[in-house]
Amino acid sequence: MDKKLGVKSVTKFLSNNAIIILIFLLAMFTAWWTREQNTFLTFGNFSNLVVNMSPRFIIACGVSGCLITKGTDLSAGRQVGLAACLAAMLLQQMDYSARMLTWLPDIPWGIAMVIVMAIMALFGAVNGCVVAFLKVPPFIATLGMQTIVYGLCSIITKNQPMGGYKDTYRGVASGRLRDFSIGGVKPFDPIPGIREIPYLLIFAVIVGVFFWFLYNKTRHGKYMYAIGGNESAAQVAGVNVAATLIRIYILAAVMYGLGGFLVGAKAGGASTATGFGYELEAIAACTIGGVSTNGGVGKVSGILVGVLVFEALKICLQFLGVDPAYTFVAQGLVIIVAVALDLRKYLAKK
């Protein structure tokens, strides 16, 4: 009996974590395959992984609340693109020849970030109201918003790519704690290890801690999981379902705004193509990390693992010299398998 139980437990573990295990094996194979170049298992590659992960983790945290309540947000990628374009318009150099808003005074990047996040919150509020009050399925509501946001982005940018960023804005993505200074003094510069921590990681850590606290220690988190488990029962128990859903979609859009702001700084430019496919990557990362598309289940730590796995897949394929076109095929397969495994767990539990 114990032996059967042990075999069953191992089989269940392997099944539930199949994608994570496969990507881990792929990473080990990539390290062995590139052992002569000695470029895969290096601090530089790990730093690159962290920098790539950080904005995507923030975006995935935003999507997670929608998924936990049995919804989704297909407008995430387009909102990230719009946020990046808005940040570009606000933070171009004053003397840049192709400056979009010539009348705009010089503003600090922190204020610009808050403005971008506030504007994106409006789109989240619309998504939330459509889902909560009009009862439009989240898939349809956010699909419509995806098209609307893309159209608005095309209008305000006139389909022109933007660049000419201020050094302070680019420094948000490229900077590390060694660059931080107070009154000309750099407190972290002499400290090995800590001085190399990128600013992007700090943004991701702050967001991760905030979402962990929100999901585990607040009434909003309890309401969110209750709605995902059984919306009707939650409403009978006194949960304000409509208000909770609106808050979830607003918070998601704010995270897209922050993610887009950081993506723009990292890329050094923005266009209507920025953020393409980010919503699918975020949904896949959440699903790989245990956020169930059937609602009621999900942890911030799982989201982090999912993002790590997805980014590791892309880096491994890059080091193995795989054509980028095949990389999209691999990502698509991972998305399908992740959702299929999630549905399998749901049906088995049911």
Side-chain angles (χ1 to χ4, degrees), residues 121-189:
L122 298 176
F123 292 97
V126 173
N127 270 338
C129 289
V130 171
V131 171
F133 295 129
L134 301 183
K135 304 301 180 183
V136 177
F139 179 88
I140 301 299
T142 58
L143 180 63
M145 182 59 72
Q146 179 190 78
T147 308
I148 292 171
V149 171
Y150 179 72
L152 290 175
C153 188
S154 299
I155 292 170
I156 65 173
T157 64
K158 301 177 182 178
N159 285 318
Q160 297 295 319
M162 289 175 287
Y165 293 167
K166 299 175 184 177
D167 292 337
T168 53
Y169 179 37
R170 291 199 302 268
V172 173
S174 61
R176 299 176 183 271
L177 281 182
R178 65 169 181 257
D179 304 319
F180 179 77
S181 64
I182 303 176
V185 178
K186 296 184 176 181
F188 300 105
D189 189 56

Side-chain angles (χ1 to χ4, degrees), residues 254-316:
V254 169
M255 291 301 103
Y256 308 151
L258 176 58
F261 182 89
L262 299 177
V263 166
K266 180 175 175 292
S271 69
T272 53
T274 302
F276 174 76
Y278 274 39
E279 68 280 354
L280 299 181
E281 288 188 18
I283 293 170
C286 287
T287 307
I288 293 170
V291 179
S292 177
T293 55
N294 295 291
V297 178
K299 296 180 179 179
V300 174
S301 58
I303 299 170
L304 178 61
V305 171
V307 174
L308 173 61
V309 166
F310 216 72
E311 287 303 308
L313 170 65
K314 291 189 286 188
I315 289 179
C316 287

